[in-house]
Amino acid sequence: DTAVSQTPKYLVTQMGNDKSIKCEQNLGHDTMYWYKQDSKKFLKIMFSYNNKELIINETVPNRFSPKSPDKAHLNLHINSLELGDSAVYFCASSHHGAGVDTQYFGPGTRLTVL
Amino acid sequence: GENVEQHPSTLSVQEGDSAVIKCTYSDSASNYFPWYKQELGKGPQLIIDIRSNVGEKKDQRIAVTLNKTAKHFSLHITETQPEDSAVYFCAASISQGAQKLVFGQGTRLTINP
């Protein structure tokens, strides 16, 4: 199936731990994104990468570090997890990351910090 | 920066009736306005979009209208069906340079049979 996939789907962890979420797209897109959706369903962009280069960084705490080993993968590493990091994290991709490109979203990773 | 307001936050309609969701935006430079549908446990999916050089766009039961002067745009769903039940998000973006979608707060639409 052609799609944007994320692993894991659910992640439960303790405060202070470090965790990673992986994202892969097989759509041949150049641009990938990470979004955070909070408990009120508000969806906000965190990062955008184009051909492995960071192009958008929305004042996210530096505990969050995206890593793009190639243009098909964009992983999100989170250090020293806090209660407020609990949310659903969505990865997305688009063809060129500009203009009127459609963004295709993954199924999300629900992160719960205890 | 851009700010997008979306109303209502919840909407309940009888099956077969129409549903309208409205959004306003603040940045007059925004010129691309997509609408996404998010079903339970899934990621958002694009259902329709409109560019600022067009006032209205229709795709079967779904239509979007844009008023650039007033800086608002609306989603219209006609002949609603139970499978239309979902959370709908509007968004705005500037079409030049890196695309940065700013989303509205979402509308939970429930279709009552």
Side-chain angles (χ1 to χ4, degrees), chain A residues 9 33 35 37 41-43 56 58 90 97-103 105-107, chain B residues 32 36 38 41-44 46 51 89 95 97-101 103 105 108:
Chain A
K9 189 163 176 63
Y33 312 79
Y35 285 86
Q37 187 171 49
K41 292 285 189 182
F42 188 60
L43 197 59
I56 294 175
E58 282 295 294
F90 287 100
V100 298
D101 276 359
T102 298
Q103 291 191 22
F105 284 76
Chain B
Y32 173 60
Y36 282 81
Q38 185 178 18
K42 296 184 178 180
L46 180 78
R51 307 178 194 187
F89 292 94
S95 66
Q99 185 186 79
K100 180 184 153 185
L101 292 179
F103 283 87
Q105 297 90 333
R108 183 176 299 277

PDB file of all heavy atoms in Angstrom, chain A residues 9 33 35 37 41-43 56 58 90 97-103 105-107, chain B residues 32 36 38 41-44 46 51 89 95 97-101 103 105 108:
ATOM      1  N   LYS A   9       1.920   2.923  17.130  1.00  0.00           N
ATOM      2  CA  LYS A   9       0.617   3.589  17.123  1.00  0.00           C
ATOM      3  C   LYS A   9       0.290   4.157  18.510  1.00  0.00           C
ATOM      4  O   LYS A   9      -0.336   5.196  18.630  1.00  0.00           O
ATOM      5  CB  LYS A   9      -0.475   2.612  16.685  1.00  0.00           C
ATOM      6  CG  LYS A   9      -1.832   3.294  16.454  1.00  0.00           C
ATOM      7  CD  LYS A   9      -2.766   2.428  15.660  1.00  0.00           C
ATOM      8  CE  LYS A   9      -4.139   3.096  15.522  1.00  0.00           C
ATOM      9  NZ  LYS A   9      -4.068   4.359  14.767  1.00  0.00           N
ATOM     10  N   TYR A  33       6.476  16.235   7.320  1.00  0.00           N
ATOM     11  CA  TYR A  33       6.077  17.126   8.397  1.00  0.00           C
ATOM     12  C   TYR A  33       5.788  16.322   9.671  1.00  0.00           C
ATOM     13  O   TYR A  33       5.421  15.146   9.608  1.00  0.00           O
ATOM     14  CB  TYR A  33       4.771  17.861   8.050  1.00  0.00           C
ATOM     15  CG  TYR A  33       4.710  18.504   6.692  1.00  0.00           C
ATOM     16  CD1 TYR A  33       4.451  17.741   5.555  1.00  0.00           C
ATOM     17  CD2 TYR A  33       4.877  19.879   6.546  1.00  0.00           C
ATOM     18  CE1 TYR A  33       4.371  18.334   4.303  1.00  0.00           C
ATOM     19  CE2 TYR A  33       4.802  20.478   5.296  1.00  0.00           C
ATOM     20  CZ  TYR A  33       4.540  19.698   4.179  1.00  0.00           C
ATOM     21  OH  TYR A  33       4.460  20.292   2.942  1.00  0.00           O
ATOM     22  N   TYR A  35       3.231  16.985  13.036  1.00  0.00           N
ATOM     23  CA  TYR A  35       2.203  17.791  13.661  1.00  0.00           C
ATOM     24  C   TYR A  35       1.916  17.238  15.045  1.00  0.00           C
ATOM     25  O   TYR A  35       2.036  16.033  15.290  1.00  0.00           O
ATOM     26  CB  TYR A  35       0.887  17.731  12.868  1.00  0.00           C
ATOM     27  CG  TYR A  35       0.879  18.525  11.589  1.00  0.00           C
ATOM     28  CD1 TYR A  35       1.360  17.968  10.399  1.00  0.00           C
ATOM     29  CD2 TYR A  35       0.365  19.814  11.553  1.00  0.00           C
ATOM     30  CE1 TYR A  35       1.331  18.689   9.211  1.00  0.00           C
ATOM     31  CE2 TYR A  35       0.338  20.542  10.376  1.00  0.00           C
ATOM     32  CZ  TYR A  35       0.821  19.971   9.212  1.00  0.00           C
ATOM     33  OH  TYR A  35       0.799  20.680   8.040  1.00  0.00           O
ATOM     34  N   GLN A  37      -1.288  17.042  17.786  1.00  0.00           N
ATOM     35  CA  GLN A  37      -2.716  17.276  18.022  1.00  0.00           C
ATOM     36  C   GLN A  37      -2.990  17.085  19.508  1.00  0.00           C
ATOM     37  O   GLN A  37      -2.847  15.992  20.040  1.00  0.00           O
ATOM     38  CB  GLN A  37      -3.579  16.323  17.192  1.00  0.00           C
ATOM     39  CG  GLN A  37      -5.078  16.636  17.284  1.00  0.00           C
ATOM     40  CD  GLN A  37      -5.900  15.846  16.304  1.00  0.00           C
ATOM     41  OE1 GLN A  37      -5.766  14.626  16.184  1.00  0.00           O
ATOM     42  NE2 GLN A  37      -6.782  16.524  15.562  1.00  0.00           N
ATOM     43  N   LYS A  41      -8.041  18.481  20.194  1.00  0.00           N
ATOM     44  CA  LYS A  41      -8.022  18.216  18.746  1.00  0.00           C
ATOM     45  C   LYS A  41      -7.316  19.304  17.936  1.00  0.00           C
ATOM     46  O   LYS A  41      -7.360  19.269  16.713  1.00  0.00           O
ATOM     47  CB  LYS A  41      -9.436  18.017  18.175  1.00  0.00           C
ATOM     48  CG  LYS A  41     -10.124  16.764  18.644  1.00  0.00           C
ATOM     49  CD  LYS A  41      -9.545  15.570  17.964  1.00  0.00           C
ATOM     50  CE  LYS A  41     -10.345  14.311  18.227  1.00  0.00           C
ATOM     51  NZ  LYS A  41      -9.726  13.136  17.592  1.00  0.00           N
ATOM     52  N   PHE A  42      -6.699  20.273  18.629  1.00  0.00           N
ATOM     53  CA  PHE A  42      -6.031  21.340  17.887  1.00  0.00           C
ATOM     54  C   PHE A  42      -4.781  20.794  17.222  1.00  0.00           C
ATOM     55  O   PHE A  42      -3.939  20.163  17.866  1.00  0.00           O
ATOM     56  CB  PHE A  42      -5.692  22.490  18.826  1.00  0.00           C
ATOM     57  CG  PHE A  42      -5.173  23.700  18.109  1.00  0.00           C
ATOM     58  CD1 PHE A  42      -5.942  24.343  17.158  1.00  0.00           C
ATOM     59  CD2 PHE A  42      -3.904  24.190  18.364  1.00  0.00           C
ATOM     60  CE1 PHE A  42      -5.466  25.455  16.477  1.00  0.00           C
ATOM     61  CE2 PHE A  42      -3.422  25.301  17.694  1.00  0.00           C
ATOM     62  CZ  PHE A  42      -4.194  25.935  16.754  1.00  0.00           C
ATOM     63  N   LEU A  43      -4.647  21.047  15.928  1.00  0.00           N
ATOM     64  CA  LEU A  43      -3.585  20.474  15.107  1.00  0.00           C
ATOM     65  C   LEU A  43      -2.584  21.571  14.756  1.00  0.00           C
ATOM     66  O   LEU A  43      -2.933  22.575  14.128  1.00  0.00           O
ATOM     67  CB  LEU A  43      -4.219  19.912  13.837  1.00  0.00           C
ATOM     68  CG  LEU A  43      -3.468  18.938  12.966  1.00  0.00           C
ATOM     69  CD1 LEU A  43      -3.091  17.695  13.735  1.00  0.00           C
ATOM     70  CD2 LEU A  43      -4.335  18.566  11.771  1.00  0.00           C
ATOM     71  N   ILE A  56      10.928  24.220   8.216  1.00  0.00           N
ATOM     72  CA  ILE A  56      10.030  24.870   9.163  1.00  0.00           C
ATOM     73  C   ILE A  56      10.314  24.299  10.542  1.00  0.00           C
ATOM     74  O   ILE A  56      10.383  23.093  10.719  1.00  0.00           O
ATOM     75  CB  ILE A  56       8.541  24.646   8.815  1.00  0.00           C
ATOM     76  CG1 ILE A  56       8.179  25.342   7.501  1.00  0.00           C
ATOM     77  CG2 ILE A  56       7.641  25.153   9.944  1.00  0.00           C
ATOM     78  CD1 ILE A  56       6.771  25.064   7.033  1.00  0.00           C
ATOM     79  N   GLU A  58       8.711  25.275  14.237  1.00  0.00           N
ATOM     80  CA  GLU A  58       7.745  26.173  14.876  1.00  0.00           C
ATOM     81  C   GLU A  58       7.972  26.311  16.373  1.00  0.00           C
ATOM     82  O   GLU A  58       7.158  25.889  17.179  1.00  0.00           O
ATOM     83  CB  GLU A  58       6.317  25.670  14.607  1.00  0.00           C
ATOM     84  CG  GLU A  58       5.821  26.000  13.230  1.00  0.00           C
ATOM     85  CD  GLU A  58       5.674  27.497  13.039  1.00  0.00           C
ATOM     86  OE1 GLU A  58       4.829  28.129  13.694  1.00  0.00           O
ATOM     87  OE2 GLU A  58       6.424  28.071  12.207  1.00  0.00           O
ATOM     88  N   PHE A  90       1.215  13.396  14.465  1.00  0.00           N
ATOM     89  CA  PHE A  90       0.980  12.966  13.084  1.00  0.00           C
ATOM     90  C   PHE A  90       2.158  13.339  12.211  1.00  0.00           C
ATOM     91  O   PHE A  90       2.662  14.468  12.259  1.00  0.00           O
ATOM     92  CB  PHE A  90      -0.263  13.640  12.509  1.00  0.00           C
ATOM     93  CG  PHE A  90      -1.551  13.123  13.046  1.00  0.00           C
ATOM     94  CD1 PHE A  90      -2.224  13.816  14.041  1.00  0.00           C
ATOM     95  CD2 PHE A  90      -2.090  11.935  12.573  1.00  0.00           C
ATOM     96  CE1 PHE A  90      -3.418  13.336  14.549  1.00  0.00           C
ATOM     97  CE2 PHE A  90      -3.285  11.456  13.077  1.00  0.00           C
ATOM     98  CZ  PHE A  90      -3.949  12.152  14.070  1.00  0.00           C
ATOM     99  N   GLY A  97       6.196  20.271  -1.033  1.00  0.00           N
ATOM    100  CA  GLY A  97       6.172  21.068   0.188  1.00  0.00           C
ATOM    101  C   GLY A  97       5.937  22.536  -0.038  1.00  0.00           C
ATOM    102  O   GLY A  97       6.213  23.350   0.832  1.00  0.00           O
ATOM    103  N   ALA A  98       5.416  22.868  -1.209  1.00  0.00           N
ATOM    104  CA  ALA A  98       5.188  24.284  -1.489  1.00  0.00           C
ATOM    105  C   ALA A  98       3.857  24.457  -2.193  1.00  0.00           C
ATOM    106  O   ALA A  98       3.206  23.486  -2.568  1.00  0.00           O
ATOM    107  CB  ALA A  98       6.315  24.825  -2.363  1.00  0.00           C
ATOM    108  N   GLY A  99       3.466  25.693  -2.354  1.00  0.00           N
ATOM    109  CA  GLY A  99       2.285  26.001  -3.145  1.00  0.00           C
ATOM    110  C   GLY A  99       1.037  25.329  -2.633  1.00  0.00           C
ATOM    111  O   GLY A  99       0.712  25.440  -1.455  1.00  0.00           O
ATOM    112  N   VAL A 100       0.381  24.603  -3.501  1.00  0.00           N
ATOM    113  CA  VAL A 100      -0.920  24.036  -3.169  1.00  0.00           C
ATOM    114  C   VAL A 100      -0.836  22.508  -3.073  1.00  0.00           C
ATOM    115  O   VAL A 100      -1.795  21.814  -3.325  1.00  0.00           O
ATOM    116  CB  VAL A 100      -1.985  24.478  -4.182  1.00  0.00           C
ATOM    117  CG1 VAL A 100      -2.154  25.981  -4.147  1.00  0.00           C
ATOM    118  CG2 VAL A 100      -1.604  24.034  -5.597  1.00  0.00           C
ATOM    119  N   ASP A 101       0.320  22.006  -2.686  1.00  0.00           N
ATOM    120  CA  ASP A 101       0.476  20.563  -2.519  1.00  0.00           C
ATOM    121  C   ASP A 101      -0.492  20.010  -1.491  1.00  0.00           C
ATOM    122  O   ASP A 101      -0.694  20.614  -0.436  1.00  0.00           O
ATOM    123  CB  ASP A 101       1.893  20.244  -2.029  1.00  0.00           C
ATOM    124  CG  ASP A 101       2.888  20.164  -3.158  1.00  0.00           C
ATOM    125  OD1 ASP A 101       2.494  20.335  -4.321  1.00  0.00           O
ATOM    126  OD2 ASP A 101       4.074  19.929  -2.860  1.00  0.00           O
ATOM    127  N   THR A 102      -1.031  18.837  -1.756  1.00  0.00           N
ATOM    128  CA  THR A 102      -1.834  18.125  -0.762  1.00  0.00           C
ATOM    129  C   THR A 102      -0.907  17.452   0.233  1.00  0.00           C
ATOM    130  O   THR A 102       0.083  16.829  -0.161  1.00  0.00           O
ATOM    131  CB  THR A 102      -2.691  17.053  -1.447  1.00  0.00           C
ATOM    132  OG1 THR A 102      -3.593  17.698  -2.350  1.00  0.00           O
ATOM    133  CG2 THR A 102      -3.483  16.249  -0.422  1.00  0.00           C
ATOM    134  N   GLN A 103      -1.231  17.583   1.501  1.00  0.00           N
ATOM    135  CA  GLN A 103      -0.473  16.872   2.526  1.00  0.00           C
ATOM    136  C   GLN A 103      -1.209  15.572   2.861  1.00  0.00           C
ATOM    137  O   GLN A 103      -2.415  15.577   3.096  1.00  0.00           O
ATOM    138  CB  GLN A 103      -0.306  17.739   3.773  1.00  0.00           C
ATOM    139  CG  GLN A 103       0.618  18.926   3.527  1.00  0.00           C
ATOM    140  CD  GLN A 103       1.004  19.639   4.802  1.00  0.00           C
ATOM    141  OE1 GLN A 103       0.956  19.079   5.897  1.00  0.00           O
ATOM    142  NE2 GLN A 103       1.410  20.891   4.668  1.00  0.00           N
ATOM    143  N   PHE A 105      -1.513  12.509   5.488  1.00  0.00           N
ATOM    144  CA  PHE A 105      -1.207  12.266   6.889  1.00  0.00           C
ATOM    145  C   PHE A 105      -1.114  10.771   7.194  1.00  0.00           C
ATOM    146  O   PHE A 105      -1.831   9.948   6.619  1.00  0.00           O
ATOM    147  CB  PHE A 105      -2.288  12.874   7.786  1.00  0.00           C
ATOM    148  CG  PHE A 105      -2.176  14.371   7.921  1.00  0.00           C
ATOM    149  CD1 PHE A 105      -2.580  15.213   6.900  1.00  0.00           C
ATOM    150  CD2 PHE A 105      -1.646  14.936   9.077  1.00  0.00           C
ATOM    151  CE1 PHE A 105      -2.472  16.599   7.017  1.00  0.00           C
ATOM    152  CE2 PHE A 105      -1.540  16.320   9.212  1.00  0.00           C
ATOM    153  CZ  PHE A 105      -1.953  17.141   8.180  1.00  0.00           C
ATOM    154  N   GLY A 106      -0.237  10.453   8.144  1.00  0.00           N
ATOM    155  CA  GLY A 106      -0.171   9.111   8.683  1.00  0.00           C
ATOM    156  C   GLY A 106      -1.294   8.882   9.688  1.00  0.00           C
ATOM    157  O   GLY A 106      -2.071   9.791   9.976  1.00  0.00           O
ATOM    158  N   PRO A 107      -1.372   7.683  10.268  1.00  0.00           N
ATOM    159  CA  PRO A 107      -2.466   7.336  11.176  1.00  0.00           C
ATOM    160  C   PRO A 107      -2.305   7.907  12.583  1.00  0.00           C
ATOM    161  O   PRO A 107      -3.234   7.829  13.384  1.00  0.00           O
ATOM    162  CB  PRO A 107      -2.421   5.805  11.207  1.00  0.00           C
ATOM    163  CG  PRO A 107      -1.004   5.472  10.910  1.00  0.00           C
ATOM    164  CD  PRO A 107      -0.514   6.523   9.966  1.00  0.00           C
TER     165      PRO A 107
ATOM    166  N   TYR B  32      -4.393  29.801  -0.138  1.00  0.00           N
ATOM    167  CA  TYR B  32      -4.712  28.386  -0.357  1.00  0.00           C
ATOM    168  C   TYR B  32      -5.446  27.880   0.871  1.00  0.00           C
ATOM    169  O   TYR B  32      -4.977  28.059   2.006  1.00  0.00           O
ATOM    170  CB  TYR B  32      -3.426  27.581  -0.587  1.00  0.00           C
ATOM    171  CG  TYR B  32      -3.648  26.094  -0.662  1.00  0.00           C
ATOM    172  CD1 TYR B  32      -4.485  25.542  -1.639  1.00  0.00           C
ATOM    173  CD2 TYR B  32      -3.032  25.233   0.225  1.00  0.00           C
ATOM    174  CE1 TYR B  32      -4.702  24.180  -1.701  1.00  0.00           C
ATOM    175  CE2 TYR B  32      -3.237  23.868   0.170  1.00  0.00           C
ATOM    176  CZ  TYR B  32      -4.074  23.347  -0.796  1.00  0.00           C
ATOM    177  OH  TYR B  32      -4.289  22.001  -0.869  1.00  0.00           O
ATOM    178  N   TYR B  36      -9.892  19.388   5.614  1.00  0.00           N
ATOM    179  CA  TYR B  36      -9.523  18.012   5.930  1.00  0.00           C
ATOM    180  C   TYR B  36     -10.609  17.368   6.781  1.00  0.00           C
ATOM    181  O   TYR B  36     -11.248  18.025   7.614  1.00  0.00           O
ATOM    182  CB  TYR B  36      -8.190  17.967   6.689  1.00  0.00           C
ATOM    183  CG  TYR B  36      -6.977  18.149   5.815  1.00  0.00           C
ATOM    184  CD1 TYR B  36      -6.560  19.414   5.404  1.00  0.00           C
ATOM    185  CD2 TYR B  36      -6.229  17.053   5.394  1.00  0.00           C
ATOM    186  CE1 TYR B  36      -5.452  19.582   4.596  1.00  0.00           C
ATOM    187  CE2 TYR B  36      -5.105  17.211   4.593  1.00  0.00           C
ATOM    188  CZ  TYR B  36      -4.734  18.472   4.198  1.00  0.00           C
ATOM    189  OH  TYR B  36      -3.623  18.630   3.401  1.00  0.00           O
ATOM    190  N   GLN B  38     -11.223  14.211   9.479  1.00  0.00           N
ATOM    191  CA  GLN B  38     -10.525  13.259  10.343  1.00  0.00           C
ATOM    192  C   GLN B  38     -11.537  12.320  10.975  1.00  0.00           C
ATOM    193  O   GLN B  38     -12.364  12.737  11.796  1.00  0.00           O
ATOM    194  CB  GLN B  38      -9.718  13.976  11.428  1.00  0.00           C
ATOM    195  CG  GLN B  38      -8.877  13.030  12.271  1.00  0.00           C
ATOM    196  CD  GLN B  38      -8.031  13.720  13.318  1.00  0.00           C
ATOM    197  OE1 GLN B  38      -8.265  14.872  13.683  1.00  0.00           O
ATOM    198  NE2 GLN B  38      -7.024  13.042  13.804  1.00  0.00           N
ATOM    199  N   GLY B  41      -9.615   7.850  15.148  1.00  0.00           N
ATOM    200  CA  GLY B  41      -8.435   7.000  15.143  1.00  0.00           C
ATOM    201  C   GLY B  41      -7.597   7.074  13.880  1.00  0.00           C
ATOM    202  O   GLY B  41      -6.688   6.267  13.683  1.00  0.00           O
ATOM    203  N   LYS B  42      -7.903   8.050  13.031  1.00  0.00           N
ATOM    204  CA  LYS B  42      -7.163   8.163  11.764  1.00  0.00           C
ATOM    205  C   LYS B  42      -6.561   9.559  11.614  1.00  0.00           C
ATOM    206  O   LYS B  42      -6.896  10.481  12.358  1.00  0.00           O
ATOM    207  CB  LYS B  42      -8.086   7.872  10.578  1.00  0.00           C
ATOM    208  CG  LYS B  42      -8.623   6.450  10.563  1.00  0.00           C
ATOM    209  CD  LYS B  42      -9.445   6.204   9.315  1.00  0.00           C
ATOM    210  CE  LYS B  42      -9.945   4.776   9.280  1.00  0.00           C
ATOM    211  NZ  LYS B  42     -10.767   4.512   8.066  1.00  0.00           N
ATOM    212  N   GLY B  43      -5.693   9.683  10.633  1.00  0.00           N
ATOM    213  CA  GLY B  43      -5.134  10.990  10.332  1.00  0.00           C
ATOM    214  C   GLY B  43      -6.065  11.788   9.438  1.00  0.00           C
ATOM    215  O   GLY B  43      -6.935  11.234   8.769  1.00  0.00           O
ATOM    216  N   PRO B  44      -5.892  13.117   9.418  1.00  0.00           N
ATOM    217  CA  PRO B  44      -6.732  13.963   8.553  1.00  0.00           C
ATOM    218  C   PRO B  44      -6.524  13.616   7.084  1.00  0.00           C
ATOM    219  O   PRO B  44      -5.430  13.259   6.658  1.00  0.00           O
ATOM    220  CB  PRO B  44      -6.218  15.376   8.843  1.00  0.00           C
ATOM    221  CG  PRO B  44      -5.548  15.285  10.173  1.00  0.00           C
ATOM    222  CD  PRO B  44      -4.970  13.909  10.241  1.00  0.00           C
ATOM    223  N   LEU B  46      -7.477  15.122   3.089  1.00  0.00           N
ATOM    224  CA  LEU B  46      -7.988  16.237   2.292  1.00  0.00           C
ATOM    225  C   LEU B  46      -9.283  15.837   1.594  1.00  0.00           C
ATOM    226  O   LEU B  46      -9.372  14.765   0.996  1.00  0.00           O
ATOM    227  CB  LEU B  46      -6.959  16.639   1.237  1.00  0.00           C
ATOM    228  CG  LEU B  46      -7.383  17.795   0.338  1.00  0.00           C
ATOM    229  CD1 LEU B  46      -7.221  19.113   1.086  1.00  0.00           C
ATOM    230  CD2 LEU B  46      -6.569  17.821  -0.957  1.00  0.00           C
ATOM    231  N   ARG B  51      -8.376  27.803  -4.057  1.00  0.00           N
ATOM    232  CA  ARG B  51      -7.335  28.827  -4.156  1.00  0.00           C
ATOM    233  C   ARG B  51      -8.005  30.186  -4.261  1.00  0.00           C
ATOM    234  O   ARG B  51      -9.161  30.282  -4.655  1.00  0.00           O
ATOM    235  CB  ARG B  51      -6.451  28.564  -5.360  1.00  0.00           C
ATOM    236  CG  ARG B  51      -5.894  27.171  -5.380  1.00  0.00           C
ATOM    237  CD  ARG B  51      -5.055  26.909  -6.595  1.00  0.00           C
ATOM    238  NE  ARG B  51      -4.807  25.471  -6.753  1.00  0.00           N
ATOM    239  CZ  ARG B  51      -3.987  24.964  -7.649  1.00  0.00           C
ATOM    240  NH1 ARG B  51      -3.325  25.746  -8.472  1.00  0.00           N
ATOM    241  NH2 ARG B  51      -3.823  23.659  -7.730  1.00  0.00           N
ATOM    242  N   PHE B  89     -11.573  19.960   9.584  1.00  0.00           N
ATOM    243  CA  PHE B  89     -10.643  21.063   9.830  1.00  0.00           C
ATOM    244  C   PHE B  89     -10.506  21.912   8.577  1.00  0.00           C
ATOM    245  O   PHE B  89     -10.308  21.383   7.481  1.00  0.00           O
ATOM    246  CB  PHE B  89      -9.252  20.537  10.179  1.00  0.00           C
ATOM    247  CG  PHE B  89      -9.160  19.828  11.495  1.00  0.00           C
ATOM    248  CD1 PHE B  89      -9.297  18.450  11.567  1.00  0.00           C
ATOM    249  CD2 PHE B  89      -8.920  20.539  12.667  1.00  0.00           C
ATOM    250  CE1 PHE B  89      -9.209  17.792  12.776  1.00  0.00           C
ATOM    251  CE2 PHE B  89      -8.830  19.887  13.886  1.00  0.00           C
ATOM    252  CZ  PHE B  89      -8.976  18.513  13.942  1.00  0.00           C
ATOM    253  N   SER B  95       0.661  30.266  -0.748  1.00  0.00           N
ATOM    254  CA  SER B  95       1.058  29.266  -1.736  1.00  0.00           C
ATOM    255  C   SER B  95       2.481  29.456  -2.248  1.00  0.00           C
ATOM    256  O   SER B  95       2.959  28.640  -3.016  1.00  0.00           O
ATOM    257  CB  SER B  95       0.083  29.260  -2.911  1.00  0.00           C
ATOM    258  OG  SER B  95       0.153  30.477  -3.614  1.00  0.00           O
ATOM    259  N   GLY B  97       6.596  29.584  -1.532  1.00  0.00           N
ATOM    260  CA  GLY B  97       7.547  29.147  -0.519  1.00  0.00           C
ATOM    261  C   GLY B  97       7.082  27.891   0.189  1.00  0.00           C
ATOM    262  O   GLY B  97       6.155  27.212  -0.255  1.00  0.00           O
ATOM    263  N   ALA B  98       7.703  27.585   1.291  1.00  0.00           N
ATOM    264  CA  ALA B  98       7.373  26.375   2.041  1.00  0.00           C
ATOM    265  C   ALA B  98       5.933  26.442   2.532  1.00  0.00           C
ATOM    266  O   ALA B  98       5.498  27.434   3.100  1.00  0.00           O
ATOM    267  CB  ALA B  98       8.313  26.233   3.233  1.00  0.00           C
ATOM    268  N   GLN B  99       5.200  25.359   2.293  1.00  0.00           N
ATOM    269  CA  GLN B  99       3.794  25.341   2.701  1.00  0.00           C
ATOM    270  C   GLN B  99       3.691  25.155   4.203  1.00  0.00           C
ATOM    271  O   GLN B  99       4.219  24.201   4.759  1.00  0.00           O
ATOM    272  CB  GLN B  99       3.055  24.212   1.995  1.00  0.00           C
ATOM    273  CG  GLN B  99       1.554  24.223   2.281  1.00  0.00           C
ATOM    274  CD  GLN B  99       0.861  23.013   1.700  1.00  0.00           C
ATOM    275  OE1 GLN B  99       0.919  21.938   2.279  1.00  0.00           O
ATOM    276  NE2 GLN B  99       0.196  23.175   0.570  1.00  0.00           N
ATOM    277  N   LYS B 100       3.014  26.101   4.842  1.00  0.00           N
ATOM    278  CA  LYS B 100       2.800  25.994   6.286  1.00  0.00           C
ATOM    279  C   LYS B 100       1.294  26.143   6.519  1.00  0.00           C
ATOM    280  O   LYS B 100       0.753  27.251   6.499  1.00  0.00           O
ATOM    281  CB  LYS B 100       3.575  27.097   7.007  1.00  0.00           C
ATOM    282  CG  LYS B 100       3.417  27.070   8.512  1.00  0.00           C
ATOM    283  CD  LYS B 100       4.143  28.243   9.134  1.00  0.00           C
ATOM    284  CE  LYS B 100       3.516  28.628  10.449  1.00  0.00           C
ATOM    285  NZ  LYS B 100       4.115  29.832  11.011  1.00  0.00           N
ATOM    286  N   LEU B 101       0.637  25.010   6.736  1.00  0.00           N
ATOM    287  CA  LEU B 101      -0.794  25.036   6.985  1.00  0.00           C
ATOM    288  C   LEU B 101      -1.083  25.452   8.414  1.00  0.00           C
ATOM    289  O   LEU B 101      -0.516  24.889   9.349  1.00  0.00           O
ATOM    290  CB  LEU B 101      -1.401  23.658   6.737  1.00  0.00           C
ATOM    291  CG  LEU B 101      -1.432  23.147   5.299  1.00  0.00           C
ATOM    292  CD1 LEU B 101      -2.044  21.753   5.250  1.00  0.00           C
ATOM    293  CD2 LEU B 101      -2.228  24.095   4.400  1.00  0.00           C
ATOM    294  N   PHE B 103      -4.179  25.470  10.931  1.00  0.00           N
ATOM    295  CA  PHE B 103      -5.486  24.827  11.006  1.00  0.00           C
ATOM    296  C   PHE B 103      -6.437  25.582  11.927  1.00  0.00           C
ATOM    297  O   PHE B 103      -6.021  26.214  12.913  1.00  0.00           O
ATOM    298  CB  PHE B 103      -5.331  23.390  11.527  1.00  0.00           C
ATOM    299  CG  PHE B 103      -4.812  22.435  10.500  1.00  0.00           C
ATOM    300  CD1 PHE B 103      -3.447  22.264  10.301  1.00  0.00           C
ATOM    301  CD2 PHE B 103      -5.693  21.696   9.725  1.00  0.00           C
ATOM    302  CE1 PHE B 103      -2.968  21.378   9.347  1.00  0.00           C
ATOM    303  CE2 PHE B 103      -5.218  20.802   8.771  1.00  0.00           C
ATOM    304  CZ  PHE B 103      -3.855  20.647   8.586  1.00  0.00           C
ATOM    305  N   GLN B 105      -9.781  25.156  14.604  1.00  0.00           N
ATOM    306  CA  GLN B 105      -9.887  24.342  15.812  1.00  0.00           C
ATOM    307  C   GLN B 105     -10.641  23.038  15.591  1.00  0.00           C
ATOM    308  O   GLN B 105     -10.673  22.181  16.477  1.00  0.00           O
ATOM    309  CB  GLN B 105     -10.584  25.137  16.922  1.00  0.00           C
ATOM    310  CG  GLN B 105      -9.843  26.371  17.355  1.00  0.00           C
ATOM    311  CD  GLN B 105     -10.246  27.609  16.554  1.00  0.00           C
ATOM    312  OE1 GLN B 105     -10.670  27.520  15.407  1.00  0.00           O
ATOM    313  NE2 GLN B 105     -10.101  28.758  17.186  1.00  0.00           N
ATOM    314  N   ARG B 108     -16.700  19.045  15.091  1.00  0.00           N
ATOM    315  CA  ARG B 108     -17.168  17.655  15.180  1.00  0.00           C
ATOM    316  C   ARG B 108     -18.566  17.605  14.607  1.00  0.00           C
ATOM    317  O   ARG B 108     -19.506  18.154  15.189  1.00  0.00           O
ATOM    318  CB  ARG B 108     -17.151  17.162  16.622  1.00  0.00           C
ATOM    319  CG  ARG B 108     -17.570  15.688  16.741  1.00  0.00           C
ATOM    320  CD  ARG B 108     -17.441  15.190  18.173  1.00  0.00           C
ATOM    321  NE  ARG B 108     -16.080  15.251  18.667  1.00  0.00           N
ATOM    322  CZ  ARG B 108     -15.160  14.341  18.437  1.00  0.00           C
ATOM    323  NH1 ARG B 108     -15.450  13.278  17.697  1.00  0.00           N
ATOM    324  NH2 ARG B 108     -13.955  14.461  18.946  1.00  0.00           N
TER     325      ARG B 108
END
